[in-house]
Amino acid sequence: MKVSLIVSDLSGGGSVRAFLLAQILKFLEHQVEIIGFLYGKELYAIPPNEITVIPISGTNYPNFFGSAQKLLQKIDGDIIYAVKPKPTSFGVSLLKKFSTHRPLLLDMDDWELSWHGGDEWQYRPGFKQLYRDIFKPKGALRFPDHPLYLQWIEKLVPKADAITVDTQFLQKRFGGVYVPNGKDTAMFDPSKYDPKISRERYGLSEYRILMFPGAPRPHKGVEDVLMALDLLNESDLRLVIVGGSPYDDYDEQLIQKWGRWIIKLPKCPVDVMPEIVAAAHVVVVPQRDTLTSRAQFPLKLTDGMAMAKPVLSTHVGDITEILADTGYLVNPASPEQIAEKIQLIFQDIDLANERGEKARERCVEKYSLEAMASTLQSLIAQL
C-alpha cells in the first residue's frame, strides 16, 4: 500500500519522527511519501535518501485555506498517517479522511499542549485583544497551530482510526499503540565505524567527548551538563552538540556562557549520524523534569544505545525503563550527580563500554526497526 505521512511543519522537529515512521513503513515494503507545510527556510532534518518529501509553503490565516487545499491535493496514499495532533497535520488529514473515507492513523510523540502549560492553559482575551489576535496581520489567532486550536483538535483525536504513541504518559492520556522512538540498528551499527577515525574526521581527537546529538532546549538539561563540566574543570572534556536548535538563539546563549566546553557540529543527514555518534565517548541525555519531558521519548537515547555508547541520562518519564540497567542515571537538574557519573565512567571506561554493548543489545531487541515494524504491521492489518 501507499502511505502518506502528513507533517505540520517540515522546518520543525516533527519531521524527525516522520522520517522514523517512514523508515519503518519502507521496511514493511509500503510506498511512502512525506507531505507537509514548510514554515521556515529549510527542512529541519535531512531525510534518508529513499524517502520522498513534498514541502508546501506554510501560511497563516486566511491564506492557510489555500495552502491546505494544495496539501490535500497531494495526499494520495491508501492510508493517511498524521504526525502530531495539530490543525496543520491532523486537522487537514481529517478533511481528507472525511472526503475519501481512507483510514487515518495519528501519531503522537509529544503532548502539544505541554509546551503552553498543559491543562492549565486558557485563552481569555479581552475584546481588544481578541480583535488584535484575529484582525492584525500578525495576530496570534492567525497562526493555524495556536494553542486554542490545539485544544480544539485534541478533542477530535478519537476520530482517528488508530493512534500510535511513544510514551506511557501519552498512552495513559490518549490510548493508542506503543511505537517507541527507535532506530535503524542496521544503519546505526558500531561495528561499521572506528571511533578514533570518527574523532579525527571531526577534529575531536584531543578530547574526551560527551555528545548531545540533537537540538538543545531548556527542558533538555544541556545546561546541567555544562555546569557539571564547570565543577569538574578538566581541560580535555568537551560537550559536542550536533545540529543545534532551529527555533531560537538558545545555542548562542549556551556558547556565550560556556563556550570553553562546547563544540558545535552542523546538522547532517540521518545516514551520517552513526559516524558522528561513533566519535562520542559518552552520549548525554540530561532531561529535566517538566511536563514536556515526561511526555517525550528522547531520540538521542536510542542514538547512543544503538551505537553501543555509555548513555548518561536522568530519571524522567520513561527513561529509567528504556535504559533499564544499561545506562547511567541521575536525578534531573543535578549537575553535581552528573559530574560524579562522568568521573565514574572515565575511571573505568572499559566497564562503561561493556554497559554500552548491553544497551545496544537492548536497543536491537526492543527499539529496532524490526521490533517497531512488527507492531505497526499488526496495527495496519486491523484497519
Side-chain angles (χ1 to χ4, degrees), residues 3-24:
V3 182
S4 295
L5 281 155
I6 313 303
V7 178
S8 58
D9 183 6
L10 290 165
S11 59
S15 57
V16 177
R17 174 71 171 179
F19 295 164
L20 173 63
L21 294 172
Q23 286 177 296
I24 300 168

Side-chain angles (χ1 to χ4, degrees), residues 220-240:
K220 295 183 179 181
V222 173
E223 291 179 41
D224 298 323
V225 175
L226 292 164
M227 285 187 275
L229 292 178
D230 277 343
L231 291 171
L232 292 168
N233 198 27
E234 296 179 16
S235 61
D236 65 334
L237 286 171
R238 289 293 185 275
L239 175 65
V240 173

Side-chain angles (χ1 to χ4, degrees), residues 222 226 229 237-241 251 253-264:
V222 173
L226 292 164
L229 292 178
L237 286 171
R238 289 293 185 275
L239 175 65
V240 173
I241 296 170
D251 294 352
Q253 294 175 37
L254 295 176
I255 289 168
Q256 284 178 15
K257 190 169 183 180
W258 286 289
R260 64 177 294 210
W261 302 122
I262 296 172
I263 296 173
K264 186 176 174 183

Side-chain angles (χ1 to χ4, degrees), residues 83-320:
V83 180
K84 296 183 178 292
K86 292 184 172 185
T88 46
S89 53
F90 184 51
V92 176
S93 298
L94 279 170
L95 292 175
K96 194 70 176 183
K97 168 186 164 65
F98 295 146
S99 65
T100 63
H101 305 291
R102 293 176 199 164
L104 170 60
L105 286 166
L106 170 63
D107 182 72
M108 307 174 74
D109 69 336
D110 264 318
W111 183 28
E112 300 308 321
L113 282 171
S114 72
W115 298 97
H116 308 283
D119 292 323
E120 303 301 315
W121 185 87
Q122 292 182 326
Y123 181 66
R124 290 180 172 175
F127 177 77
K128 287 184 179 178
Q129 186 61 49
L130 179 63
Y131 178 87
R132 285 194 292 267
D133 286 349
I134 294 174
F135 293 105
K136 290 287 184 180
K138 294 187 178 180
L141 290 178
R142 290 198 169 203
F143 179 53
D145 288 338
H146 185 277
L148 178 63
Y149 307 143
L150 295 177
Q151 280 187 332
W152 293 352
I153 205 77
E154 201 171 275
K155 294 175 182 177
L156 296 176
V157 165
K159 298 292 184 184
D161 294 293
I163 301 167
T164 54
V165 296
D166 69 346
T167 63
Q168 294 178 42
F169 178 101
L170 293 168
Q171 197 167 43
K172 288 175 183 175
R173 189 173 182 92
F174 298 102
V177 174
Y178 180 67
V179 178
N181 255 344
K183 278 289 172 298
D184 181 345
T185 52
M187 179 190 295
F188 282 74
D189 181 351
S191 68
K192 298 177 180 178
Y193 302 93
D194 183 325
K196 290 183 180 178
I197 292 174
S198 285
R199 284 193 281 274
E200 287 172 6
R201 182 163 294 169
Y202 294 99
L204 307 174
S205 297
E206 300 174 37
Y207 309 111
R208 290 179 292 161
I209 300 299
L210 311 173
M211 185 173 288
F212 181 83
R217 303 187 83 172
H219 74 279
K220 295 183 179 181
V222 173
E223 291 179 41
D224 298 323
V225 175
L226 292 164
M227 285 187 275
L229 292 178
D230 277 343
L231 291 171
L232 292 168
N233 198 27
E234 296 179 16
S235 61
D236 65 334
L237 286 171
R238 289 293 185 275
L239 175 65
V240 173
I241 296 170
V242 184
S245 174
Y247 306 105
D248 49 36
D249 65 346
Y250 186 58
D251 294 352
E252 296 310 312
Q253 294 175 37
L254 295 176
I255 289 168
Q256 284 178 15
K257 190 169 183 180
W258 286 289
R260 64 177 294 210
W261 302 122
I262 296 172
I263 296 173
K264 186 176 174 183
L265 299 179
K267 72 177 182 179
C268 63
V270 173
D271 51 10
V272 177
M273 277 302 294
E275 179 186 54
I276 293 176
V277 178
H281 290 98
V282 183
V283 169
V284 290
V285 190
Q287 297 279 97
R288 289 178 171 174
D289 190 13
T290 68
L291 196 56
T292 298
S293 297
R294 282 175 236 148
Q296 290 183 333
F297 183 131
L299 270 164
K300 295 166 290 298
L301 283 177
T302 47
D303 282 351
M305 293 173 76
M307 292 300 291
K309 296 296 178 181
V311 177
L312 173 53
S313 191
T314 51
H315 291 287
V316 174
D318 291 355
I319 292 173
T320 306

